[in-house]
């Protein structure tokens, strides 16, 4: 069968645009036709039968090209576009793709984008690609694609043309044109309001011909990772510089910076450096020599004074999972060559095409099975300058890894600080696996085969192939790190809510580099919340310099930014300028918000009215010890912060940020929570239970003992209930002071339930004493109604208090370590109730009050509704025999049960 046809160079299929002047991968297949059940008499193409189909071309093909194309089609290695999440060649306003051609050592770069204002497309415009070591505009090498009218060229006057220029961002908002050495324009066009330029770029670019500020980069080696910047805007005529095509300010809504780094150039194969400048380990054996590794790890030597090493992970899916595109490759370091107690780094490709590098840890507890692997909350702890690509079925990640890492991990409610020092020898393990779906999303799953284990090696070494004897990894408390290594502070101790990492900037010693991470606590926040770090001279939230990492919605789009703010007296927080704060990157992933920024060690807050400062010193020197604050909550009305309530923590002592080390949380908040819990246990487990027991079970005991004319049971009952009221009021005052007010609607539902039930219990407890003031005298007509109301209200309050305390033990926000004792409180109440029922049954069983007995003078002693007051002394033994040893025994057991369990609870709370 043979078919010939014409195909439009540009066409659309299902709203997807194809331009056959660009390279596309070619697929070729065959199959059979089948009846179309929805349209009888017509046929549809069925899926091919042969498992070898379709055939996929090795390289992309350009259809709309002469037989002798000037350049072979490029192999695309990566892309970056704006806005975030857009699809290249489909809906990006600005985009860049890059790759290489087989016959050239140059980098192929394609730049495409447009600019419009008020829905009017600019005729003279530009799109620019910036290359920088940091995610900021200054110190960037810029490649421009410019559409302009050349008014000086008589032959082109009045005609629009698309040209290429290069420039350099020396200072913020200052851009100067430079010589275009190393960058060559190969094609350009203007279509549908967008300019398009294609370039060949050398792997080494140098800035020359302009004034370079001190400390800024002038040489760009594109085989190393860089952040990419994109911007678009209109043109202006700069008569002073003699430029007709100078770029105008792009505006804040027409620029973006990648949070990741990318490697644009370099050799086409990762193996080329294995015999020279990098150490390589691969699977299977001898695969490095034959360049046929299924998984490959390469890393460079440790430069003098460097704190991180350059690494690359490269590989295909596991053998058992051929055809899978979503998988991971990774390596681990351990002191024994086994899976447990191993620090892991993984290169992961997700189902949506994202590529990331994650840090993890295998627990020393082998009984945890697959769940023994834990992704650290800060997934990139020690991992920086991430670049990734996936092509030809091979996944590749390039990144830098800190030589020394302090990992905080949590296993089975135990927090461990793991110290990893790559200057020491460790066994190296290399493997791969597929992804696994869990409740929280998609994570790296277990490997199909046991990873390959290599002899001990020193990864961070100043020469190639360093080896040595393995050194056990430290899992004790992390020692204070050197200034360049930094430290961290967490909320709470296991870092499950928020964390700030800090270290002296490697590029500017007058600044501190910070990574601030917070995790959404309530689904109702809808991904719009903030995490804040503050510094203050006093151990409290007041008078603090604060940096807020905020995610909010602006004009329908989610925005992430950092702000400066200041805590006034009380709980008020006001926004300030961002003087001395330099944002580097932001990200939001798996409900975790992260902001990386640098801040001057010495920073002065400006622009606050005197009424807000209360005479405080607004200059904060972080090289002097300061208390660290961490807080987390939702935002509303744009980027306005909601009060954090209990999601806050203060360091227990001032911290020297420049000296590093882990900061410990203050015990103040924890002690206040303990005080609240202990007061409630005394009130409701001990005194309320004792008071109810005395009122219900001992009315007929000790009839002749009546201090101040009142029976013993009444003295015990009244004293116990007064103590319940006093202790409950005290506990409420303590917890309201600790929380700073009501918990708010943004707290976890369990927290809100505990607070609501606690307030109801408190209200009922306050009503009961007033009810007692209006009790009728015994024997009056209204006395039975009072008895029933008083009994019902008392028992209801007691039961509600037990439920509330049981809920309180499940609040890790309030007091960690109590989750397991909720059943102890509930069990104590049930045992108490069972013993009282037993006493009631026993009393009825032993009752011998016959009609004849009730007629004599002992009637008062037989009645169970005897109320306090003077009574005629009994002249004979009570028929109920209050001195019955069995009854005394049950009462004694009940008293001991109430007292012992209450004291045990108090001791446990005090030491937890």
């Amino acid at each position: 069968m043979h078919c010939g046809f014409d195909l439009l160079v540009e066409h659309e299929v299902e709203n997807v645009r194809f331009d056959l002047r660009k390279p596309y991968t070619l697929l070729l297949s065959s199959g059979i036709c089948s009846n179309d059940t929805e349209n009888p008499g017509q046929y549809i193409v069925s899926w091919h039968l042969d498992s070898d189909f379709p055939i996929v071309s090795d390289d992309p093909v350009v259809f709309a090209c002469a037989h002798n194309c000037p350049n072979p089609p490029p192999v695309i290695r990566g892309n970056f576009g704006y806005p975030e999440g857009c699809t290249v060649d489909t809906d990006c306003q600005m985009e860049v793709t890059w790759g290489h051609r087989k016959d050239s050592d140059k980098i192929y770069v394609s730049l495409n984008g447009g600019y419009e204002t008020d829905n009017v497309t600019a005729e003279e415009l530009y799109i620019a690609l910036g290359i920088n070591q940091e995610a900021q505009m200054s110190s960037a090498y810029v490649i421009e694609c410019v559409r302009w009218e050349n008014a000086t060229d008589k032959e082109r006057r009045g005609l629009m043309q698309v040209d290429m220029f290069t420039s350099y961002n020396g200072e913020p908002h200052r851009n100067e044109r430079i010589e275009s050495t190393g960058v060559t324009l190969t094609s350009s066009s203007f279509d549908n309001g967008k300019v398009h330029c294609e370039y060949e770029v050398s792997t080494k670019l140098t800035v020359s011909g302009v004034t370079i500020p001190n400390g800024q980069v002038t040489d760009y080696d594109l085989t190393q990772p860089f952040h990419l910047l994109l911007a678009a805007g209109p043109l202006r005529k700069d008569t002073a510089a003699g430029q007709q095509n100078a770029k105008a300010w792009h505006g804040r809504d027409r620029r973006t910076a990648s949070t990741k780094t990318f490697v644009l150039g370099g050799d086409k194969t990762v193996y080329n450096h294995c015999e020279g400048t990098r150490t390589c380990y691969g699977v299977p054996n001898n695969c490095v020599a034959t360049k046929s590794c299924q998984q490959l790890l390469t890393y460079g030597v440790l430069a003098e004074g460097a704190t991180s090493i350059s690494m690359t992970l490269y590989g295909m899916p596991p053998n058992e999972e051929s055809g899978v595109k979503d998988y991971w490759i990774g390596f681990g370091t351990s002191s024994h060559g086994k899976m447990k107690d191993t620090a892991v780094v993984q290169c992961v490709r997700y189902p949506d095409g994202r590529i990331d590098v994650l840090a993890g840890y295998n627990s020393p507890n082998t009984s945890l099975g697959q769940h023994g692997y834990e992704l650290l909350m800060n997934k990139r702890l020690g991992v920086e300058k991430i670049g990734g690509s996936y092509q030809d079925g091979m996944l590749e990640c390039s990144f830098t890894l800190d030589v020394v890492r302090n990992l905080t991990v949590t296993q089975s409610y135990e927090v461990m600080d793991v110290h990893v020092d790559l200057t020491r020898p460790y066994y190296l393990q290399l493997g791969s696996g597929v992804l696994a779906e869990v409740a929280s999303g998609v994570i790296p799953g277990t490997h199909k085969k046991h990873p390959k284990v290599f002899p001990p090696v020193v990864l961070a070494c100043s020469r190639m192939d360093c080896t040595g004897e393995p050194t056990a990894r430290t899992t004790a408390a992390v020692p204070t790190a050197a200034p360049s290594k930094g430290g961290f502070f967490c909320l709470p101790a296991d870092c499950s809510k928020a964390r700030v990492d800090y270290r002296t900037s490697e590029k500017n010693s007058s600044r501190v580099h910070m990574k601030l991470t917070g995790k959404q606590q309530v689904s109702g926040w809808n991904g719009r919340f903030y995490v804040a770090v503050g510094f203050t001279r006093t151990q409290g939230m007041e008078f603090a310099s604060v940096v807020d990492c905020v995610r909010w919605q602006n004009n329908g789009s989610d925005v992430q930014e950092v702000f400066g703010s200041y805590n006034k007296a009380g709980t008020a927080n006001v926004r300030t300028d961002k003087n001395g704060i330099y944002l580097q990157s932001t990200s939001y992933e798996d409900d975790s918000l992260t902001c990386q920024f640098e801040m001057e060690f010495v920073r002065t807050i400006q622009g606050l009215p005197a009424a807000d400062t209360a005479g405080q010193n607004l200059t904060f020197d972080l090289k002097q010890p300061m208390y660290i604050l961490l807080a987390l909550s939702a935002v509303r009305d744009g980027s306005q912060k909601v009060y954090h309530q209990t999601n806050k923590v203060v360091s227990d002592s001032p911290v020297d940020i420049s000296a590093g080390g882990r900061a410990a949380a203050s015990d103040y908040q924890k002690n206040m929570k303990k005080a609240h819990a202990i007061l409630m246990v005394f009130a409701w487990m001990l005194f309320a239970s004792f008071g109810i027991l005395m009122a219900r079970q001992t009315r007929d005991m000790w009839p002749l003992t009546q201090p101040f004319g009142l029976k013993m049971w009444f003295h015990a009952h009244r004293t116990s209930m007064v103590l319940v009221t006093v202790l409950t009021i005290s506990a409420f005052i303590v917890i309201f002071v600790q929380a700073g007010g009501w918990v708010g609607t943004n707290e976890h539902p369990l927290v809100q339930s505990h607070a609501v039930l606690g307030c109801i219990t408190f209200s009922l407890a306050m009503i009961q004493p007033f009810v007692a003031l209006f009790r009728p005298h015994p024997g009056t007509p209204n006395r039975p109604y009072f008895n029933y109301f008083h009994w019902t209200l008392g028992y209801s309050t007691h039961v509600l208090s037990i439920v509330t305390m049981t809920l309180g033990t499940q609040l890790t926000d309030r007091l960690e370590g109590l989750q397991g004792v909720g059943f102890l409180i509930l069990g104590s109440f049930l045992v108490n109730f069972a013993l009282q029922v037993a006493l009631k049954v026993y009393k009825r069983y032993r009752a011998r009050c016959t009609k004849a007995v009730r007629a004599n003078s002992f009637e008062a002693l037989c009645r169970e509704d005897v109320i306090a007051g003077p009574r005629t002394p009994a002249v004979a033994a009570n028929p109920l025999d209050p001195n019955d040893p069995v009854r005394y025994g049950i009462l004694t057991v009940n008293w001991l049960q109430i007292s012992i369990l209450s004291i045990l609870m108090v001791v446990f709370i005090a030491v937890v």
Side-chain angles (χ1 to χ4, degrees):
M1 182 170 64
H2 172 79
C3 293
F5 51 90
D6 290 332
L7 186 62
L8 292 174
V9 173
E10 295 185 54
H11 60 279
E12 288 189 0
V13 180
E14 296 292 338
N15 297 321
V16 179
R17 181 171 175 267
F18 292 88
D19 183 352
L20 300 186
R21 292 167 297 192
K22 296 181 178 181
Y24 291 95
T25 300
L26 177 64
L27 297 90
L28 186 63
S29 66
S30 64
I32 61 174
C33 298
S34 60
N35 291 318
D36 188 346
T37 56
E38 296 182 359
N39 300 289
Q42 299 187 28
Y43 297 90
I44 59 175
V45 175
S46 295
W47 186 246
H48 47 74
L49 299 179
D50 193 334
S51 60
D52 292 334
F53 283 101
I55 298 174
V56 181
S57 61
D58 292 333
D59 299 309
V61 176
V62 177
F63 279 106
C65 177
H67 291 293
N68 296 318
C69 295
N71 289 310
V75 177
I76 304 300
R77 294 181 61 87
N79 59 72
F80 175 59
Y82 173 85
E84 182 180 358
C86 69
T87 303
V88 174
D89 286 337
T90 303
D91 58 352
C92 292
Q93 299 176 20
M94 301 181 290
E95 62 191 33
V96 58
T97 60
W98 64 89
H100 66 266
R101 291 189 170 94
K102 285 191 172 182
D103 63 344
S104 173
D105 60 355
K106 299 292 184 67
I107 306 168
Y108 164 84
V109 177
S110 174
L111 194 56
N112 187 61
Y115 180 83
E116 63 179 31
T117 304
D118 298 328
N119 297 322
V120 177
T121 302
E123 291 295 324
E124 291 189 305
L125 70 155
Y126 73 90
I127 179 174
L129 166 67
I131 303 168
N132 199 351
Q133 290 182 339
E134 299 180 359
Q136 59 188 29
M137 292 296 175
S138 60
S139 190
Y141 189 101
V142 181
I143 301 175
E144 308 169 9
C145 181
V146 182
R147 185 175 190 260
W148 64 298
E149 178 186 351
N150 192 339
T152 60
D153 190 334
K154 294 181 180 180
E155 296 181 359
R156 292 191 172 188
R157 186 173 298 166
L159 300 176
M160 304 297 290
Q161 63 189 68
V162 179
D163 287 329
M164 175 217 73
F165 299 92
T166 55
S167 57
Y168 179 73
N169 288 347
E171 298 175 358
H173 313 308
R174 180 175 178 83
N175 176 271
E176 297 181 79
R177 292 271 167 81
I178 60 175
E179 296 180 6
S180 302
T181 305
V183 182
T184 303
L185 181 68
T186 58
S187 67
S188 63
S189 62
F190 178 76
D191 187 24
N192 294 327
K194 291 187 175 181
V195 289
H196 176 77
C197 290
E198 295 183 1
Y199 313 87
E200 285 188 347
V201 182
S202 299
T203 57
K204 300 289 192 297
L205 298 177
T206 301
V207 177
S208 61
V210 295
T211 302
I212 307 298
N214 291 334
Q216 292 199 1
V217 177
T218 58
D219 295 319
Y220 296 79
D221 181 358
L222 301 189
T223 63
Q224 301 300 314
F226 284 92
H227 289 276
L228 299 185
L229 320 172
L230 285 176
L235 297 183
R236 61 181 176 85
K237 290 180 172 58
D238 188 347
T239 56
Q243 294 180 2
Q244 304 178 58
N245 50 22
K247 303 190 301 296
W249 171 240
H250 43 67
R252 297 187 180 275
D253 59 342
R254 286 296 186 275
R255 67 173 184 180
T256 188
S258 66
T259 56
K260 295 182 179 179
T261 56
F262 300 94
V263 178
L264 300 185
D267 294 319
K268 301 166 199 170
T269 171
V270 294
Y271 299 97
N272 283 9
H273 290 301
C274 290
E275 298 178 357
T277 59
R278 297 177 76 85
T279 302
C280 300
Y281 288 90
V283 176
N285 294 334
N286 302 318
C287 67
V288 175
T290 60
K291 299 183 179 179
S292 59
C293 294
Q294 297 175 8
Q295 291 89 39
L296 178 71
L297 170 68
T298 77
Y299 56 91
V301 297
L302 181 65
E304 183 178 356
T307 59
S308 61
I309 55 175
S310 170
M311 311 190 85
T312 298
L313 277 168
Y314 179 81
M316 62 179 66
N319 286 336
E320 299 85 347
E321 305 292 341
S322 58
V324 171
K325 295 182 179 180
D326 310 321
Y327 61 98
W328 61 267
I329 50 179
F331 74 92
T333 55
S334 68
S335 59
H336 40 62
K338 299 179 182 179
M339 294 305 300
K340 65 178 183 178
D341 192 20
T342 300
V344 181
V345 177
Q346 294 169 300
C347 171
V348 185
R349 186 180 192 270
Y350 290 97
D352 59 4
R354 289 182 299 116
I355 297 173
D356 205 351
V357 178
L358 307 181
Y361 177 75
N362 289 345
S363 169
N365 183 0
T366 56
S367 64
L368 293 176
Q370 177 178 350
H371 300 288
Y373 171 79
E374 179 190 17
L375 279 178
L376 303 180
M377 180 201 168
N378 191 339
K379 297 179 182 178
R380 295 176 183 166
L381 182 63
V383 179
E384 301 286 350
K385 299 180 180 179
I386 299 172
S389 66
Y390 177 79
Q391 66 178 50
D392 302 328
M394 302 295 284
L395 175 62
E396 180 179 348
C397 288
S398 58
F399 55 94
T400 62
L401 183 65
D402 284 354
V403 174
V404 177
R405 292 184 297 154
N406 295 324
L407 313 179
T408 299
V409 296
T410 307
Q411 295 291 350
S412 300
Y413 300 103
E414 178 184 1
V415 179
M416 293 187 298
D417 293 328
V418 182
H419 187 63
V420 182
D421 185 352
L422 298 184
T423 61
R424 302 173 180 176
Y426 293 113
Y427 285 97
L428 180 66
Q429 304 173 56
L430 188 61
S432 64
V434 295
L435 304 187
E437 292 189 8
V438 296
S440 59
V442 179
I443 65 170
T446 56
H447 38 71
K448 296 290 182 171
K449 289 184 177 180
H450 198 283
K452 171 70 174 178
V453 180
F454 296 91
V457 59
V458 178
L459 295 178
C461 185
S462 58
R463 56 185 174 84
M464 302 282 290
D465 299 317
C466 293
T467 59
E469 291 299 320
T471 304
R473 178 175 290 120
T474 302
T475 55
V478 179
T480 302
S484 61
K485 304 303 185 296
F488 61 97
F489 183 50
C490 290
L491 169 67
D494 63 356
C495 304
S496 60
K497 289 186 176 183
R499 171 175 178 145
V500 60
D501 293 87
Y502 46 84
R503 69 171 188 269
T504 301
S505 171
E506 296 177 0
K507 301 180 178 65
N508 190 333
S509 61
S510 67
R511 297 180 183 176
V512 56
H513 176 92
M514 293 193 179
K515 181 184 287 187
L516 184 57
T517 300
K519 191 171 183 65
Q520 176 171 273
Q521 299 300 302
V522 181
S523 59
W525 291 0
N526 298 319
R528 283 132 203 164
F529 62 99
Y530 73 91
V531 55
V533 59
F535 305 94
T536 179
R537 301 175 184 88
T538 60
Q539 192 176 19
M541 304 301 288
E542 297 179 326
F543 311 123
S545 170
V546 182
V547 179
D548 307 314
C549 175
V550 186
R551 189 173 194 264
W552 81 100
Q553 193 170 65
N554 185 21
N555 296 325
S557 299
D558 289 322
V559 181
Q560 292 146 202
E561 183 61 276
V562 295
F563 297 95
S565 62
Y566 180 74
N567 287 352
K568 303 190 297 181
T571 60
N573 174 271
V574 292
R575 284 271 164 83
T576 65
D577 60 1
K578 291 194 288 186
N579 174 49
I581 303 173
Y582 311 96
L583 177 64
Q584 293 187 324
S585 67
T586 65
S587 65
Y588 181 72
E589 185 177 357
D590 298 334
D591 293 333
S592 290
L593 173 63
T594 299
C595 291
Q596 294 197 63
F597 57 93
E598 289 193 348
M599 185 168 67
E600 300 289 348
F601 270 113
V602 181
R603 177 173 176 262
T604 300
I605 298 177
Q606 301 175 353
L608 284 180
D612 289 341
T613 65
Q616 296 292 314
N617 182 3
L618 297 186
T619 298
F620 292 83
D621 183 355
L622 299 188
K623 289 189 176 181
Q624 302 298 320
M626 294 271 184
Y627 289 97
I628 305 179
L629 323 175
L630 267 181
L632 181 75
S633 189
V635 296
R636 65 185 177 194
D637 302 330
S639 61
Q640 296 303 309
K641 300 188 296 181
V642 175
Y643 182 58
H644 44 67
Q645 303 294 345
T646 59
N647 290 320
K648 62 183 179 181
V649 68
V650 184
S651 63
D652 64 353
S653 60
V655 177
D656 183 354
I657 298 297
S658 64
R662 180 173 184 174
S666 169
D667 288 334
Y668 169 77
Q669 299 290 333
K670 188 174 183 178
N671 289 339
M672 292 289 280
K673 298 171 190 175
K674 285 185 177 183
H676 171 76
I678 289 173
L679 288 170
M680 286 301 190
V681 167
F682 272 128
W684 295 101
M685 278 190 67
L686 181 61
F687 291 114
S689 300
F690 181 76
I692 292 174
L693 176 65
M694 295 299 292
R696 296 300 302 165
Q697 305 298 339
T698 67
R699 289 177 179 239
D700 58 342
M701 299 180 72
W702 314 292
L704 303 180
T705 304
Q706 299 184 18
F708 304 104
L710 299 174
K711 292 213 172 194
M712 289 294 294
W713 74 264
F714 188 77
H715 281 292
H717 177 72
R718 183 173 62 180
T719 303
S720 297
M721 292 311 172
V722 169
L723 288 173
V724 169
T725 304
V726 172
L727 291 172
T728 301
I729 294 174
S730 302
F732 251 65
I733 294 174
V734 167
I735 201 62
F736 266 84
V737 170
Q738 183 274 327
W742 182 249
V743 294
T745 58
N746 291 297
E747 288 281 5
H748 190 280
L750 199 61
V751 178
Q752 295 187 54
S753 300
H754 177 75
V756 170
L757 291 177
C759 287
I760 295 174
T761 304
F762 176 80
S763 300
L764 295 178
M766 296 303 104
I767 292 173
Q768 190 73 302
F770 291 99
V771 172
L773 292 177
F774 297 99
R775 73 177 184 275
H777 287 288
T780 59
N782 292 327
R783 181 65 184 218
Y785 299 108
F786 166 80
N787 288 345
Y788 282 117
F789 183 77
H790 187 61
W791 181 91
T792 302
L793 183 61
Y795 262 101
S796 300
T797 307
H798 192 216
V799 171
L800 196 58
S801 71
I802 298 299
V803 173
T804 305
M805 286 195 294
T806 303
L807 280 177
T809 63
Q810 306 305 303
L811 304 181
T812 56
D813 303 68
R814 303 290 182 182
L815 195 58
E816 295 79 17
L818 289 183
Q819 296 90 339
V821 301
F823 294 108
L824 180 61
I825 296 176
L826 195 59
S828 174
F829 173 77
L830 293 176
V831 171
N832 182 24
F833 180 75
L835 289 172
Q836 292 203 39
V837 170
L839 273 172
K840 191 76 173 177
V841 172
Y842 182 75
K843 285 172 63 178
R844 290 185 180 276
Y845 174 76
R846 295 286 295 172
R848 294 293 186 269
C849 296
T850 61
K851 291 182 179 180
V853 174
R854 291 193 180 97
N856 64 29
S857 60
F858 306 128
E859 179 184 5
L861 295 177
C862 294
R863 293 174 52 189
E864 292 187 359
D865 61 347
V866 176
I867 307 301
R871 291 288 181 262
T872 303
V875 296
N878 181 7
L880 289 179
D881 193 6
N883 296 319
D884 184 346
V886 175
R887 186 179 177 191
Y888 258 111
I890 298 176
L891 277 173
T892 302
V893 170
N894 207 341
W895 287 330
L896 289 175
Q897 173 258 331
I898 292 171
S899 303
I900 292 174
L901 287 181
S902 298
I903 293 172
L904 285 177
M905 275 293 299
V906 168
V907 172
F908 185 84
I909 294 170
V911 300
V912 72

